[in-house]
Amino acid sequence: MDREQYDKLAWLEDRSWWFRLKRDIVFDWLDRELRRSGVSGDPVIVDVGCGAGGTLSRLPLAATAIGLEYDDEEVREAQRRGVHRLVRGNAVSLPFRNGSCDALLMLDVLEHLADDRGALSEAHRVLSRDGFLLATVPAHPFLWSPHDEAFHHQRRYRRLELTRKLSDAGFQLSR
């Protein structure tokens, strides 16, 4: 993404009803899935492509929360927002041990990646046996717009395409 788009997105994350509602949905889902999965103790949650830290800085759950981001300026902004555990890296080569994460967030990340299949395989590799992935993506290729161009999207998804890629990476869809 262009720097201007990063800055606009960080500003919106703090103010827009859309981002507040989306975070509420994500946090509710995380809490439910962590209880369902039976993860005990301090779960490890990684926000892949955490950007300016808008999600992790507001995480209402007790967890070891780690942000992974490739952009240096976004890492600094996430630190400014209070995200303390940050790793610089990318989704196609996650710097975590096999089975070391209880939950991965990929919130509007996959559409930016040339190798979304590789990123999903990496996500599956680092998740624990009871771990889970929460991914959000833009839908419907026919809705492609200047917004997708400005944010350097590679694609928009159809349900079947995303389901197939998740299945090929070893995931079982639950929702």
Side-chain angles (χ1 to χ4, degrees):
M1 264 190 300
D2 300 325
R3 180 86 262 134
E4 179 182 336
Q5 298 305 326
Y6 275 126
D7 294 342
K8 187 186 299 183
L9 191 59
W11 187 88
L12 285 169
E13 278 184 327
D14 291 336
R15 291 164 183 82
S16 169
W17 64 270
W18 169 262
F19 287 99
R20 285 194 308 268
L21 181 58
K22 185 174 180 179
R23 278 192 300 271
D24 287 347
I25 292 167
V26 166
F27 295 154
D28 180 62
W29 189 86
L30 263 174
D31 182 53
R32 201 169 354 155
E33 286 300 307
L34 284 169
R35 282 188 276 117
R36 182 204 57 76
S37 70
V39 172
S40 59
D42 189 27
V44 175
I45 300 171
V46 177
D47 187 358
V48 177
C50 71
T55 299
L56 287 184
S57 64
R58 295 170 175 88
L59 188 67
L61 309 169
T64 298
I66 302 167
L68 180 118
E69 177 58 46
Y70 74 90
D71 184 86
D72 288 330
E73 288 186 50
E74 291 296 279
V75 167
R76 285 191 289 279
E77 180 62 20
Q79 289 170 328
R80 188 189 68 70
R81 288 180 172 200
V83 178
H84 302 293
R85 290 185 176 99
L86 287 158
V87 177
R88 192 168 186 286
N90 71 67
V92 181
S93 181
L94 294 172
F96 304 106
R97 290 184 327 274
N98 293 355
S100 62
C101 303
D102 298 305
L104 286 183
L105 304 177
M106 289 184 154
L107 307 175
D108 299 318
V109 169
L110 290 169
E111 66 272 13
H112 295 274
L113 306 175
D115 186 9
D116 58 345
R117 289 178 183 275
L120 289 170
S121 292
E122 272 293 278
H124 192 268
R125 178 187 66 79
V126 302
L127 281 168
S128 65
R129 186 176 54 82
D130 295 323
F132 56 91
L133 167 70
L134 170 57
T136 60
V137 297
H140 309 302
F142 69 86
L143 290 176
W144 189 268
S145 73
H147 173 85
D148 295 289
E149 298 287 340
F151 282 85
H152 297 189
H153 290 174
Q154 302 282 317
R155 71 195 65 75
R156 282 178 163 266
Y157 290 86
R158 290 182 179 86
R159 180 188 299 258
L160 182 59
E161 172 192 11
L162 183 58
T163 301
R164 190 171 291 138
K165 287 180 179 185
L166 286 162
S167 178
D168 289 349
F171 287 101
Q172 293 180 343
L173 228 56
S174 64
R175 202 169 166 198

